[in-house]
Amino acid sequence: ASLTAAYTGGELTIACWAIVSAAGVWTDGAIRRCMELLNIDGNNELYFAKNSTNNQVLVAYTAGGTAKTIGFTTSSLVWNHYAVTASKTADALKLYVNGVQQGATGTGLGTWTAGLTRAVIGGANTTPVQAWSGSLAHAAIFPVLSDAQIATLAVV
């Protein structure tokens, strides 16, 4: 209840430090979810993951049935700071790696039609095989953060 009261899926930032366990994780063909927020109605979800596409990090955002994605190619074996902002008010979905925005800003966001009912860190809501393969640190949910605030979070 407190998660739903504090955040809607349409206005937030998720962030964490992450590293994969081995080079082969980047090319294993599995989706490996780092953070996932959702409403169990199936029409509202935000997740950050290692994609099934080799060497790709993926942000997937679905609100009110409207889906948007942003991808970033990497095969890094070092700790990286990842952050995702979603703002229906600004009509913007952004992915940041180490404090720098990656890819184009996603626009045309749908309306999150219900509050957040579940937050999963290092795993997946329904598919246990999609668990993150590596280590995570300092995962957090924030109100929408500015570029400067995200850059500050990404400093070791």
Side-chain angles (χ1 to χ4, degrees):
S2 60
L3 180 63
T4 296
Y7 299 102
T8 69
E11 301 294 330
L12 56 76
T13 296
I14 60 173
C16 71
W17 286 90
I19 187 172
V20 296
S21 59
V25 171
W26 289 115
T27 57
D28 66 6
I31 295 171
R32 302 205 176 268
R33 297 192 185 200
C34 185
M35 295 182 75
E36 179 178 28
L37 305 174
L38 67 151
N39 185 287
I40 57 174
D41 68 2
N43 292 314
N44 302 283
E45 176 181 43
L46 170 63
Y47 71 83
F48 156 71
K50 190 281 286 177
N51 197 9
S52 59
T53 301
N54 286 351
N55 303 313
Q56 188 182 59
V57 170
L58 177 73
V59 171
Y61 178 83
T62 302
T66 300
K68 299 292 175 184
T69 60
I70 299 173
F72 171 72
T73 301
T74 185
S75 57
S76 177
L77 294 177
V78 299
W79 282 96
N80 287 294
H81 183 266
Y82 298 97
V84 178
T85 62
S87 174
K88 175 63 176 166
T89 304
D91 192 27
L93 176 67
K94 298 178 182 181
L95 166 64
Y96 299 83
V97 179
N98 296 324
V100 177
Q101 183 179 344
Q102 303 298 319
T105 298
T107 60
L109 304 185
T111 301
W112 196 279
T113 55
L116 296 177
T117 56
R118 190 168 297 155
V120 182
I121 298 171
N125 179 47
T126 58
T127 310
V129 297
Q130 292 184 346
W132 185 254
S133 181
S135 298
L136 302 171
H138 311 292
I141 305 169
F142 300 97
V144 176
L145 299 177
S146 69
D147 293 350
Q149 289 170 314
I150 290 171
T152 299
L153 284 177
V155 175
V156 178

